[in-house]
Amino acid sequence: MTGWLTLDDGDALAPERAGSKAAVLCRLRMAGFAVPDGWVLPVGCPRARWAAFADTVTAHHLGPLAVRSSAGWEDLATAAAAGQSVTVLDVEGPAAVLEAIEACHRAAAERGASSEAGLAILVQPMLAPDHAGVAFGLDPATGDRDVVRINAVEGVGAPVVSGEVVGWDMRVRGDRVDGDTGTLGADAARAVAAVVAEVETLLGAPQDLEWAIVEA
């Protein structure tokens, strides 16, 4: 037993083991959605195993990584988690992965969560997208469920996800695309909206999705 999971492991479907973020991504990946590979340091994994986890992940995923906290309290409908979860980007090497894991646990402790008892860590390879951003199945400005609201930028979507920038702001209603699509274009906006609809059908509720497009 290694003490950790991947997004291809059935055990990662359990939020109590993998945290909400990783559990949802595992479910989407198993349903055939284009979710990148992922390694999960599960809830309650002893600190003595963290270094071995960092060694294993960096051996399997060459290049920069994203290290993200994954806990049930991050995705509660009754409590916003903005500023309380942590994502560390462009992490390279075992020492840096271990440092990022520590940063995620410190943020959980500062929030008042029991870090060892309630926090998992998700590690995924960094993408080099042409476009990325966020998409809302329920328009946050109006509550309209018939519109997919998309914010997009060129390259990595972290500035949009963190709220540092808005990016190009557009609404997709059926085949109609309104707003500024920038270099994303209307066809790609429709494609993102279609994925949002498919995910919502699977999960049974409106979803806010981080997305990225990597041109072949």
PDB file of all heavy atoms in Angstrom, residues 59-95:
ATOM      1  N   ALA A  59       8.493  11.746 -10.179  1.00  0.00           N
ATOM      2  CA  ALA A  59       9.071  10.715 -11.037  1.00  0.00           C
ATOM      3  C   ALA A  59       8.141  10.342 -12.177  1.00  0.00           C
ATOM      4  O   ALA A  59       8.586  10.015 -13.276  1.00  0.00           O
ATOM      5  CB  ALA A  59       9.391   9.470 -10.205  1.00  0.00           C
ATOM      6  N   HIS A  60       6.831  10.412 -11.937  1.00  0.00           N
ATOM      7  CA  HIS A  60       5.865  10.030 -12.952  1.00  0.00           C
ATOM      8  C   HIS A  60       5.444  11.194 -13.853  1.00  0.00           C
ATOM      9  O   HIS A  60       5.032  10.972 -14.992  1.00  0.00           O
ATOM     10  CB  HIS A  60       4.612   9.438 -12.300  1.00  0.00           C
ATOM     11  CG  HIS A  60       4.773   8.021 -11.860  1.00  0.00           C
ATOM     12  ND1 HIS A  60       5.415   7.670 -10.691  1.00  0.00           N
ATOM     13  CD2 HIS A  60       4.409   6.856 -12.459  1.00  0.00           C
ATOM     14  CE1 HIS A  60       5.411   6.353 -10.573  1.00  0.00           C
ATOM     15  NE2 HIS A  60       4.812   5.835 -11.624  1.00  0.00           N
ATOM     16  N   HIS A  61       5.520  12.417 -13.349  1.00  0.00           N
ATOM     17  CA  HIS A  61       5.074  13.587 -14.109  1.00  0.00           C
ATOM     18  C   HIS A  61       6.255  14.534 -14.266  1.00  0.00           C
ATOM     19  O   HIS A  61       6.518  15.353 -13.387  1.00  0.00           O
ATOM     20  CB  HIS A  61       3.918  14.292 -13.407  1.00  0.00           C
ATOM     21  CG  HIS A  61       2.676  13.452 -13.303  1.00  0.00           C
ATOM     22  ND1 HIS A  61       1.972  13.030 -14.402  1.00  0.00           N
ATOM     23  CD2 HIS A  61       2.016  12.969 -12.235  1.00  0.00           C
ATOM     24  CE1 HIS A  61       0.920  12.324 -14.013  1.00  0.00           C
ATOM     25  NE2 HIS A  61       0.941  12.266 -12.696  1.00  0.00           N
ATOM     26  N   LEU A  62       6.959  14.409 -15.366  1.00  0.00           N
ATOM     27  CA  LEU A  62       8.069  15.310 -15.613  1.00  0.00           C
ATOM     28  C   LEU A  62       7.531  16.682 -16.008  1.00  0.00           C
ATOM     29  O   LEU A  62       6.507  16.792 -16.671  1.00  0.00           O
ATOM     30  CB  LEU A  62       8.957  14.748 -16.730  1.00  0.00           C
ATOM     31  CG  LEU A  62       9.562  13.365 -16.466  1.00  0.00           C
ATOM     32  CD1 LEU A  62      10.387  12.914 -17.662  1.00  0.00           C
ATOM     33  CD2 LEU A  62      10.413  13.380 -15.209  1.00  0.00           C
ATOM     34  N   GLY A  63       8.206  17.725 -15.588  1.00  0.00           N
ATOM     35  CA  GLY A  63       7.756  19.074 -15.914  1.00  0.00           C
ATOM     36  C   GLY A  63       6.975  19.682 -14.768  1.00  0.00           C
ATOM     37  O   GLY A  63       6.783  19.072 -13.707  1.00  0.00           O
ATOM     38  N   PRO A  64       6.492  20.909 -14.962  1.00  0.00           N
ATOM     39  CA  PRO A  64       5.827  21.639 -13.876  1.00  0.00           C
ATOM     40  C   PRO A  64       4.491  21.016 -13.488  1.00  0.00           C
ATOM     41  O   PRO A  64       3.790  20.443 -14.319  1.00  0.00           O
ATOM     42  CB  PRO A  64       5.645  23.045 -14.454  1.00  0.00           C
ATOM     43  CG  PRO A  64       5.674  22.861 -15.938  1.00  0.00           C
ATOM     44  CD  PRO A  64       6.606  21.719 -16.186  1.00  0.00           C
ATOM     45  N   LEU A  65       4.169  21.158 -12.204  1.00  0.00           N
ATOM     46  CA  LEU A  65       2.956  20.583 -11.630  1.00  0.00           C
ATOM     47  C   LEU A  65       2.122  21.662 -10.967  1.00  0.00           C
ATOM     48  O   LEU A  65       2.623  22.729 -10.602  1.00  0.00           O
ATOM     49  CB  LEU A  65       3.322  19.525 -10.593  1.00  0.00           C
ATOM     50  CG  LEU A  65       4.148  18.341 -11.085  1.00  0.00           C
ATOM     51  CD1 LEU A  65       4.769  17.609  -9.898  1.00  0.00           C
ATOM     52  CD2 LEU A  65       3.288  17.388 -11.898  1.00  0.00           C
ATOM     53  N   ALA A  66       0.845  21.361 -10.795  1.00  0.00           N
ATOM     54  CA  ALA A  66      -0.047  22.184  -9.982  1.00  0.00           C
ATOM     55  C   ALA A  66      -0.398  21.385  -8.730  1.00  0.00           C
ATOM     56  O   ALA A  66      -0.830  20.230  -8.831  1.00  0.00           O
ATOM     57  CB  ALA A  66      -1.310  22.536 -10.755  1.00  0.00           C
ATOM     58  N   VAL A  67      -0.202  21.979  -7.568  1.00  0.00           N
ATOM     59  CA  VAL A  67      -0.503  21.339  -6.294  1.00  0.00           C
ATOM     60  C   VAL A  67      -1.687  22.079  -5.679  1.00  0.00           C
ATOM     61  O   VAL A  67      -1.622  23.294  -5.465  1.00  0.00           O
ATOM     62  CB  VAL A  67       0.718  21.373  -5.344  1.00  0.00           C
ATOM     63  CG1 VAL A  67       0.374  20.712  -4.007  1.00  0.00           C
ATOM     64  CG2 VAL A  67       1.913  20.687  -5.995  1.00  0.00           C
ATOM     65  N   ARG A  68      -2.764  21.339  -5.396  1.00  0.00           N
ATOM     66  CA  ARG A  68      -4.022  21.974  -4.989  1.00  0.00           C
ATOM     67  C   ARG A  68      -4.583  21.311  -3.743  1.00  0.00           C
ATOM     68  O   ARG A  68      -4.533  20.083  -3.601  1.00  0.00           O
ATOM     69  CB  ARG A  68      -5.056  21.865  -6.116  1.00  0.00           C
ATOM     70  CG  ARG A  68      -4.527  22.191  -7.481  1.00  0.00           C
ATOM     71  CD  ARG A  68      -5.561  21.983  -8.563  1.00  0.00           C
ATOM     72  NE  ARG A  68      -6.609  22.978  -8.502  1.00  0.00           N
ATOM     73  CZ  ARG A  68      -7.693  22.949  -9.263  1.00  0.00           C
ATOM     74  NH1 ARG A  68      -7.891  21.957 -10.101  1.00  0.00           N
ATOM     75  NH2 ARG A  68      -8.585  23.907  -9.172  1.00  0.00           N
ATOM     76  N   SER A  69      -5.137  22.109  -2.850  1.00  0.00           N
ATOM     77  CA  SER A  69      -5.852  21.538  -1.714  1.00  0.00           C
ATOM     78  C   SER A  69      -7.192  20.992  -2.192  1.00  0.00           C
ATOM     79  O   SER A  69      -7.783  21.485  -3.147  1.00  0.00           O
ATOM     80  CB  SER A  69      -6.058  22.594  -0.624  1.00  0.00           C
ATOM     81  OG  SER A  69      -6.829  23.682  -1.103  1.00  0.00           O
ATOM     82  N   SER A  70      -7.656  19.941  -1.532  1.00  0.00           N
ATOM     83  CA  SER A  70      -8.931  19.309  -1.870  1.00  0.00           C
ATOM     84  C   SER A  70      -9.584  18.861  -0.582  1.00  0.00           C
ATOM     85  O   SER A  70      -9.138  17.915   0.058  1.00  0.00           O
ATOM     86  CB  SER A  70      -8.698  18.112  -2.804  1.00  0.00           C
ATOM     87  OG  SER A  70      -9.907  17.438  -3.096  1.00  0.00           O
ATOM     88  N   ALA A  71     -10.648  19.565  -0.190  1.00  0.00           N
ATOM     89  CA  ALA A  71     -11.326  19.245   1.071  1.00  0.00           C
ATOM     90  C   ALA A  71     -12.813  19.481   0.917  1.00  0.00           C
ATOM     91  O   ALA A  71     -13.254  20.265   0.077  1.00  0.00           O
ATOM     92  CB  ALA A  71     -10.779  20.099   2.210  1.00  0.00           C
ATOM     93  N   GLY A  72     -13.602  18.802   1.728  1.00  0.00           N
ATOM     94  CA  GLY A  72     -15.044  18.953   1.654  1.00  0.00           C
ATOM     95  C   GLY A  72     -15.507  20.375   1.876  1.00  0.00           C
ATOM     96  O   GLY A  72     -16.429  20.856   1.217  1.00  0.00           O
ATOM     97  N   TRP A  73     -14.836  21.102   2.777  1.00  0.00           N
ATOM     98  CA  TRP A  73     -15.289  22.467   3.078  1.00  0.00           C
ATOM     99  C   TRP A  73     -15.004  23.446   1.948  1.00  0.00           C
ATOM    100  O   TRP A  73     -15.533  24.547   1.927  1.00  0.00           O
ATOM    101  CB  TRP A  73     -14.663  22.975   4.376  1.00  0.00           C
ATOM    102  CG  TRP A  73     -13.195  22.755   4.551  1.00  0.00           C
ATOM    103  CD1 TRP A  73     -12.613  21.773   5.294  1.00  0.00           C
ATOM    104  CD2 TRP A  73     -12.114  23.513   4.001  1.00  0.00           C
ATOM    105  NE1 TRP A  73     -11.244  21.879   5.231  1.00  0.00           N
ATOM    106  CE2 TRP A  73     -10.904  22.938   4.467  1.00  0.00           C
ATOM    107  CE3 TRP A  73     -12.045  24.629   3.178  1.00  0.00           C
ATOM    108  CZ2 TRP A  73      -9.653  23.442   4.111  1.00  0.00           C
ATOM    109  CZ3 TRP A  73     -10.804  25.133   2.818  1.00  0.00           C
ATOM    110  CH2 TRP A  73      -9.626  24.538   3.279  1.00  0.00           C
ATOM    111  N   GLU A  74     -14.199  23.067   0.962  1.00  0.00           N
ATOM    112  CA  GLU A  74     -13.910  23.978  -0.135  1.00  0.00           C
ATOM    113  C   GLU A  74     -15.089  24.133  -1.076  1.00  0.00           C
ATOM    114  O   GLU A  74     -15.200  25.121  -1.780  1.00  0.00           O
ATOM    115  CB  GLU A  74     -12.697  23.484  -0.931  1.00  0.00           C
ATOM    116  CG  GLU A  74     -11.406  23.593  -0.171  1.00  0.00           C
ATOM    117  CD  GLU A  74     -10.220  23.111  -0.982  1.00  0.00           C
ATOM    118  OE1 GLU A  74     -10.421  22.383  -1.964  1.00  0.00           O
ATOM    119  OE2 GLU A  74      -9.092  23.464  -0.610  1.00  0.00           O
ATOM    120  N   ASP A  75     -15.973  23.162  -1.139  1.00  0.00           N
ATOM    121  CA  ASP A  75     -17.053  23.175  -2.113  1.00  0.00           C
ATOM    122  C   ASP A  75     -18.434  23.132  -1.474  1.00  0.00           C
ATOM    123  O   ASP A  75     -19.408  22.762  -2.105  1.00  0.00           O
ATOM    124  CB  ASP A  75     -16.904  21.998  -3.078  1.00  0.00           C
ATOM    125  CG  ASP A  75     -15.642  22.138  -3.927  1.00  0.00           C
ATOM    126  OD1 ASP A  75     -15.454  23.219  -4.482  1.00  0.00           O
ATOM    127  OD2 ASP A  75     -14.871  21.179  -4.002  1.00  0.00           O
ATOM    128  N   LEU A  76     -18.531  23.528  -0.204  1.00  0.00           N
ATOM    129  CA  LEU A  76     -19.828  23.562   0.439  1.00  0.00           C
ATOM    130  C   LEU A  76     -20.702  24.642  -0.184  1.00  0.00           C
ATOM    131  O   LEU A  76     -20.261  25.762  -0.435  1.00  0.00           O
ATOM    132  CB  LEU A  76     -19.678  23.852   1.945  1.00  0.00           C
ATOM    133  CG  LEU A  76     -19.045  22.736   2.789  1.00  0.00           C
ATOM    134  CD1 LEU A  76     -18.860  23.238   4.209  1.00  0.00           C
ATOM    135  CD2 LEU A  76     -19.912  21.493   2.772  1.00  0.00           C
ATOM    136  N   ALA A  77     -21.974  24.323  -0.428  1.00  0.00           N
ATOM    137  CA  ALA A  77     -22.882  25.305  -1.024  1.00  0.00           C
ATOM    138  C   ALA A  77     -23.170  26.450  -0.072  1.00  0.00           C
ATOM    139  O   ALA A  77     -23.550  27.537  -0.485  1.00  0.00           O
ATOM    140  CB  ALA A  77     -24.199  24.612  -1.410  1.00  0.00           C
ATOM    141  N   THR A  78     -22.952  26.235   1.232  1.00  0.00           N
ATOM    142  CA  THR A  78     -23.300  27.256   2.217  1.00  0.00           C
ATOM    143  C   THR A  78     -22.125  28.126   2.620  1.00  0.00           C
ATOM    144  O   THR A  78     -22.278  29.034   3.428  1.00  0.00           O
ATOM    145  CB  THR A  78     -23.854  26.583   3.484  1.00  0.00           C
ATOM    146  OG1 THR A  78     -22.894  25.637   3.954  1.00  0.00           O
ATOM    147  CG2 THR A  78     -25.162  25.884   3.186  1.00  0.00           C
ATOM    148  N   ALA A  79     -20.945  27.873   2.066  1.00  0.00           N
ATOM    149  CA  ALA A  79     -19.780  28.647   2.486  1.00  0.00           C
ATOM    150  C   ALA A  79     -18.819  28.816   1.319  1.00  0.00           C
ATOM    151  O   ALA A  79     -18.391  27.846   0.713  1.00  0.00           O
ATOM    152  CB  ALA A  79     -19.059  27.947   3.641  1.00  0.00           C
ATOM    153  N   ALA A  80     -18.503  30.070   0.999  1.00  0.00           N
ATOM    154  CA  ALA A  80     -17.553  30.338  -0.074  1.00  0.00           C
ATOM    155  C   ALA A  80     -16.154  29.974   0.385  1.00  0.00           C
ATOM    156  O   ALA A  80     -15.774  30.213   1.528  1.00  0.00           O
ATOM    157  CB  ALA A  80     -17.608  31.813  -0.474  1.00  0.00           C
ATOM    158  N   ALA A  81     -15.375  29.399  -0.518  1.00  0.00           N
ATOM    159  CA  ALA A  81     -14.033  28.975  -0.170  1.00  0.00           C
ATOM    160  C   ALA A  81     -12.965  29.858  -0.788  1.00  0.00           C
ATOM    161  O   ALA A  81     -11.784  29.574  -0.663  1.00  0.00           O
ATOM    162  CB  ALA A  81     -13.805  27.526  -0.624  1.00  0.00           C
ATOM    163  N   ALA A  82     -13.371  30.921  -1.475  1.00  0.00           N
ATOM    164  CA  ALA A  82     -12.394  31.791  -2.122  1.00  0.00           C
ATOM    165  C   ALA A  82     -11.405  32.307  -1.096  1.00  0.00           C
ATOM    166  O   ALA A  82     -11.780  32.817  -0.044  1.00  0.00           O
ATOM    167  CB  ALA A  82     -13.106  32.954  -2.795  1.00  0.00           C
ATOM    168  N   GLY A  83     -10.121  32.172  -1.410  1.00  0.00           N
ATOM    169  CA  GLY A  83      -9.090  32.649  -0.512  1.00  0.00           C
ATOM    170  C   GLY A  83      -8.760  31.678   0.603  1.00  0.00           C
ATOM    171  O   GLY A  83      -7.861  31.919   1.398  1.00  0.00           O
ATOM    172  N   GLN A  84      -9.508  30.576   0.699  1.00  0.00           N
ATOM    173  CA  GLN A  84      -9.287  29.614   1.771  1.00  0.00           C
ATOM    174  C   GLN A  84      -8.612  28.350   1.259  1.00  0.00           C
ATOM    175  O   GLN A  84      -7.933  27.663   2.010  1.00  0.00           O
ATOM    176  CB  GLN A  84     -10.620  29.268   2.438  1.00  0.00           C
ATOM    177  CG  GLN A  84     -11.265  30.493   3.085  1.00  0.00           C
ATOM    178  CD  GLN A  84     -12.703  30.236   3.468  1.00  0.00           C
ATOM    179  OE1 GLN A  84     -13.327  29.302   2.985  1.00  0.00           O
ATOM    180  NE2 GLN A  84     -13.241  31.067   4.343  1.00  0.00           N
ATOM    181  N   SER A  85      -8.841  27.999  -0.002  1.00  0.00           N
ATOM    182  CA  SER A  85      -8.118  26.889  -0.603  1.00  0.00           C
ATOM    183  C   SER A  85      -6.858  27.436  -1.258  1.00  0.00           C
ATOM    184  O   SER A  85      -6.707  28.633  -1.444  1.00  0.00           O
ATOM    185  CB  SER A  85      -8.993  26.169  -1.634  1.00  0.00           C
ATOM    186  OG  SER A  85      -9.393  27.062  -2.646  1.00  0.00           O
ATOM    187  N   VAL A  86      -5.960  26.527  -1.603  1.00  0.00           N
ATOM    188  CA  VAL A  86      -4.664  26.943  -2.130  1.00  0.00           C
ATOM    189  C   VAL A  86      -4.362  26.159  -3.398  1.00  0.00           C
ATOM    190  O   VAL A  86      -4.579  24.940  -3.455  1.00  0.00           O
ATOM    191  CB  VAL A  86      -3.542  26.693  -1.095  1.00  0.00           C
ATOM    192  CG1 VAL A  86      -2.174  26.942  -1.714  1.00  0.00           C
ATOM    193  CG2 VAL A  86      -3.738  27.577   0.120  1.00  0.00           C
ATOM    194  N   THR A  87      -3.862  26.843  -4.414  1.00  0.00           N
ATOM    195  CA  THR A  87      -3.306  26.210  -5.597  1.00  0.00           C
ATOM    196  C   THR A  87      -1.922  26.803  -5.822  1.00  0.00           C
ATOM    197  O   THR A  87      -1.770  28.022  -5.892  1.00  0.00           O
ATOM    198  CB  THR A  87      -4.178  26.452  -6.840  1.00  0.00           C
ATOM    199  OG1 THR A  87      -5.453  25.827  -6.668  1.00  0.00           O
ATOM    200  CG2 THR A  87      -3.510  25.872  -8.085  1.00  0.00           C
ATOM    201  N   VAL A  88      -0.922  25.947  -5.911  1.00  0.00           N
ATOM    202  CA  VAL A  88       0.446  26.381  -6.173  1.00  0.00           C
ATOM    203  C   VAL A  88       0.825  25.876  -7.559  1.00  0.00           C
ATOM    204  O   VAL A  88       0.777  24.674  -7.825  1.00  0.00           O
ATOM    205  CB  VAL A  88       1.430  25.837  -5.119  1.00  0.00           C
ATOM    206  CG1 VAL A  88       2.824  26.416  -5.355  1.00  0.00           C
ATOM    207  CG2 VAL A  88       0.941  26.166  -3.706  1.00  0.00           C
ATOM    208  N   LEU A  89       1.172  26.802  -8.458  1.00  0.00           N
ATOM    209  CA  LEU A  89       1.445  26.462  -9.847  1.00  0.00           C
ATOM    210  C   LEU A  89       2.943  26.401 -10.133  1.00  0.00           C
ATOM    211  O   LEU A  89       3.752  26.921  -9.368  1.00  0.00           O
ATOM    212  CB  LEU A  89       0.799  27.495 -10.774  1.00  0.00           C
ATOM    213  CG  LEU A  89      -0.717  27.677 -10.648  1.00  0.00           C
ATOM    214  CD1 LEU A  89      -1.195  28.758 -11.592  1.00  0.00           C
ATOM    215  CD2 LEU A  89      -1.453  26.370 -10.896  1.00  0.00           C
ATOM    216  N   ASP A  90       3.281  25.754 -11.239  1.00  0.00           N
ATOM    217  CA  ASP A  90       4.664  25.670 -11.725  1.00  0.00           C
ATOM    218  C   ASP A  90       5.607  25.100 -10.668  1.00  0.00           C
ATOM    219  O   ASP A  90       6.700  25.620 -10.438  1.00  0.00           O
ATOM    220  CB  ASP A  90       5.145  27.050 -12.191  1.00  0.00           C
ATOM    221  CG  ASP A  90       4.388  27.536 -13.418  1.00  0.00           C
ATOM    222  OD1 ASP A  90       4.239  26.737 -14.361  1.00  0.00           O
ATOM    223  OD2 ASP A  90       3.946  28.693 -13.434  1.00  0.00           O
ATOM    224  N   VAL A  91       5.166  24.032 -10.038  1.00  0.00           N
ATOM    225  CA  VAL A  91       5.957  23.369  -8.998  1.00  0.00           C
ATOM    226  C   VAL A  91       6.830  22.303  -9.662  1.00  0.00           C
ATOM    227  O   VAL A  91       6.324  21.434 -10.384  1.00  0.00           O
ATOM    228  CB  VAL A  91       5.041  22.721  -7.944  1.00  0.00           C
ATOM    229  CG1 VAL A  91       5.870  22.032  -6.871  1.00  0.00           C
ATOM    230  CG2 VAL A  91       4.118  23.770  -7.330  1.00  0.00           C
ATOM    231  N   GLU A  92       8.118  22.344  -9.416  1.00  0.00           N
ATOM    232  CA  GLU A  92       9.035  21.379 -10.029  1.00  0.00           C
ATOM    233  C   GLU A  92       9.978  20.808  -8.975  1.00  0.00           C
ATOM    234  O   GLU A  92      10.586  21.544  -8.206  1.00  0.00           O
ATOM    235  CB  GLU A  92       9.837  22.028 -11.153  1.00  0.00           C
ATOM    236  CG  GLU A  92       8.972  22.515 -12.314  1.00  0.00           C
ATOM    237  CD  GLU A  92       9.794  22.852 -13.546  1.00  0.00           C
ATOM    238  OE1 GLU A  92      10.456  21.949 -14.085  1.00  0.00           O
ATOM    239  OE2 GLU A  92       9.764  24.025 -13.969  1.00  0.00           O
ATOM    240  N   GLY A  93      10.079  19.498  -8.937  1.00  0.00           N
ATOM    241  CA  GLY A  93      10.997  18.824  -8.034  1.00  0.00           C
ATOM    242  C   GLY A  93      10.335  18.412  -6.735  1.00  0.00           C
ATOM    243  O   GLY A  93       9.388  19.054  -6.271  1.00  0.00           O
ATOM    244  N   PRO A  94      10.806  17.326  -6.124  1.00  0.00           N
ATOM    245  CA  PRO A  94      10.203  16.814  -4.892  1.00  0.00           C
ATOM    246  C   PRO A  94      10.169  17.821  -3.753  1.00  0.00           C
ATOM    247  O   PRO A  94       9.173  17.909  -3.030  1.00  0.00           O
ATOM    248  CB  PRO A  94      11.090  15.609  -4.537  1.00  0.00           C
ATOM    249  CG  PRO A  94      11.716  15.202  -5.825  1.00  0.00           C
ATOM    250  CD  PRO A  94      11.909  16.457  -6.608  1.00  0.00           C
ATOM    251  N   ALA A  95      11.249  18.581  -3.572  1.00  0.00           N
ATOM    252  CA  ALA A  95      11.280  19.540  -2.462  1.00  0.00           C
ATOM    253  C   ALA A  95      10.209  20.600  -2.631  1.00  0.00           C
ATOM    254  O   ALA A  95       9.543  20.999  -1.668  1.00  0.00           O
ATOM    255  CB  ALA A  95      12.669  20.182  -2.371  1.00  0.00           C
TER     256      ALA A  95
END
